[in-house]
Amino acid sequence: MDQKTLIEGLDNLKVFTGNSNPDLARRICEYLDIPLGDAYVGRFPDGEIDLKVNEDIRGTDVFIVQPLCPPVNENLMELLMFIDCAKRASAARVTAVIPYYGYARKDRKDEGRVPITAKLVANLISKAGVDRVLAMDLHAAQIQGFFDIPVDHIFAFPVLCEHYRSLGLSDVVVVSPDVGGIKIARAYSRKLNIKMAVVDKRRVGPEETEVGFVIGDVAGKNVIMIDDIIATGGSIVQAAKVLKDKGAKDIYVGTTHAVLCGTAAEKLAGAPIKEVAVTDTIPLDGRARQLGERISVLSISGLLGEAMRRIHTNESISALFV
Ligand code: R5P
């Protein structure tokens, strides 16, 4: 398809979803004011995935919304099959919209005899035939380079910053719970015009972290602690305790990807945290209810929808983040 055909309007743009976050796909379609594409993604009696697109997509610009959250392997396979299906059905272009990129934390060989799974997942998605990828808050920005096709990497911080502005907090500092998160914390610090601090965290096992000290001043201040992922909750809960020990006032936690596995919600509920703001890249299960009114779910559907519209019409995406 040439660029001219692509920018004719949203008539030619189709959005489909697998089973990982259909509500998010519906909200994106509401933003775009188009119907969600008609497809069936079910299971054969033996557990294999059965998939069929129930409408003509020949010559269209197809977006498949599928975060790779748990059950990650099922969701990944659905995505691969959807891409294969769209290509074989003669879609003009297929974009995988992956608001949460699973396996992202295995992005290098940090010891002998381990796989680089983030690269393997990129290989699988590319090999399935996708033309572009739209991702949000990748755990490591270099994952973009694991693909040899265009990757648009967007960020949830405008939505979270809007939320923190609406809370009208005063005397506030943004904190990164580890050194790896400094860059994203700096984006919040600039956008909200507040100072930043960093908690020194070291990982001593897949589910265990050790917290050392805090770089920066948090005593007597309200804290907005930003992390890209909360999985077991270990990192955030430990960091919150250290910040409290250092005299922080109220602690607000903001995260893009609420994986919240195992007892994470329980741990967060018992931690000195006033509020946990998460986005809807991943659907929350019932366990998150333990946080009651202390959890706020912010939708990034508008941001994703706008990025998809701009991909379709060849407009700048970076302009959304200035
Ligand atoms: C680590 O580098 C990430 O930014 C998160 O802090 C980490 O993945 C969160 O994992 P958990 O909630 O299991 O501590």
Side-chain angles (χ1 to χ4, degrees), residues 105 139 177-178 180 201 203 206-207 209 227-236 261:
R105 284 175 288 178
H139 178 62
D178 58 34
K201 174 191 90 173
R203 191 163 279 286
E207 293 190 15
T209 55
D227 208 351
D228 59 332
I229 305 173
I230 300 180
T232 64
S235 312
I236 280 291
C261 51

Side-chain angles (χ1 to χ4, degrees), residues 157 159-169 172 188 192 223-226 252-255 275-278 298:
F157 77 83
V159 172
L160 279 147
C161 283
E162 193 51 47
H163 172 69
Y164 290 121
R165 269 202 209 99
S166 77
L167 295 182
L169 303 173
V172 51
Y188 283 80
L192 296 170
V223 162
I224 297 174
M225 182 158 50
I226 299 293
Y252 296 79
V253 169
T255 194
E275 185 214 42
V276 182
V278 304
L298 313 172

Side-chain angles (χ1 to χ4, degrees), residues 99-116:
Y100 171 65
Y101 189 96
Y103 285 117
R105 284 175 288 178
K106 297 298 288 177
D107 65 349
R108 64 194 176 284
K109 270 186 81 168
D110 48 6
E111 56 181 316
R113 302 181 301 280
V114 294
I116 305 180

Side-chain angles (χ1 to χ4, degrees), residues 13-320:
L13 186 160
K14 302 260 184 194
V15 179
F16 291 94
T17 180
N19 287 308
S20 63
N21 197 346
D23 287 342
L24 174 64
R26 272 183 216 109
R27 287 191 280 271
I28 290 172
C29 287
E30 274 166 28
Y31 174 85
L32 292 169
D33 200 19
I34 59 172
L36 181 62
D38 184 9
Y40 168 74
V41 190
R43 296 291 181 276
F44 287 109
D46 61 0
E48 287 181 359
I49 297 165
D50 184 15
L51 190 152
K52 181 171 168 56
V53 169
N54 294 321
E55 60 184 279
D56 182 23
I57 53 170
R58 186 175 292 272
T60 59
D61 194 13
V62 166
F63 291 79
I64 302 160
V65 179
Q66 183 81 337
L68 300 180
C69 50
V72 56
N73 300 331
E74 292 286 318
N75 290 332
L76 173 61
M77 193 61 197
E78 284 188 2
L79 175 63
L80 299 174
M81 287 175 63
F82 228 127
I83 295 167
D84 182 74
C85 171
K87 289 307 275 188
R88 291 177 195 279
S90 304
R93 181 172 70 179
V94 179
T95 301
V97 181
I98 310 175
Y100 171 65
Y101 189 96
Y103 285 117
R105 284 175 288 178
K106 297 298 288 177
D107 65 349
R108 64 194 176 284
K109 270 186 81 168
D110 48 6
E111 56 181 316
R113 302 181 301 280
V114 294
I116 305 180
T117 324
K119 170 64 176 153
L120 172 64
V121 169
N123 286 347
L124 291 169
I125 292 169
S126 301
K127 197 71 193 159
V130 82
D131 297 295
R132 306 181 66 92
V133 171
L134 171 60
M136 177 169 267
D137 283 327
L138 286 166
H139 178 62
Q142 65 268 22
I143 291 171
Q144 288 167 84
F146 292 2
F147 292 88
D148 285 327
I149 51 173
V151 176
D152 290 301
H153 182 200
I154 65 169
F155 313 96
F157 77 83
V159 172
L160 279 147
C161 283
E162 193 51 47
H163 172 69
Y164 290 121
R165 269 202 209 99
S166 77
L167 295 182
L169 303 173
S170 59
D171 210 6
V172 51
V173 59
V174 62
V175 173
S176 170
D178 58 34
V179 177
I182 290 181
K183 204 169 167 212
I184 190 73
R186 199 176 290 131
Y188 283 80
S189 145
R190 260 201 306 264
K191 189 99 179 155
L192 296 170
N193 197 21
I194 53 178
K195 293 216 162 108
M196 66 178 276
V198 183
V199 176
D200 179 40
K201 174 191 90 173
R202 273 171 238 110
R203 191 163 279 286
V204 290
E207 293 190 15
E208 234 184 305
T209 55
E210 219 177 46
V211 169
F213 53 91
V214 177
I215 307 163
D217 186 15
V218 296
K221 296 187 189 305
N222 289 310
V223 162
I224 297 174
M225 182 158 50
I226 299 293
D227 208 351
D228 59 332
I229 305 173
I230 300 180
T232 64
S235 312
I236 280 291
V237 168
Q238 275 200 46
K241 286 181 186 154
V242 171
L243 292 168
K244 269 284 171 198
D245 287 349
K246 301 284 177 199
K249 278 209 309 221
D250 289 339
I251 299 176
Y252 296 79
V253 169
T255 194
T256 309
H257 308 300
V259 179
L260 301 186
C261 51
T263 56
E266 210 175 308
K267 278 191 215 149
L268 290 168
I273 294 172
K274 176 123 180 159
E275 185 214 42
V276 182
V278 304
T279 81
D280 56 355
T281 57
I282 296 175
L284 288 184
D285 68 17
R287 285 175 293 187
R289 277 195 219 108
Q290 295 177 60
L291 282 154
E293 290 184 353
R294 286 161 65 204
I295 189 159
S296 301
V297 184
L298 313 172
S299 187
I300 40 72
S301 54
L303 204 51
L304 278 170
E306 182 56 24
M308 288 156 68
R309 192 190 68 72
R310 287 172 182 236
I311 289 171
H312 183 67
T313 55
N314 294 312
E315 286 172 67
S316 165
I317 290 187
S318 53
L320 288 171

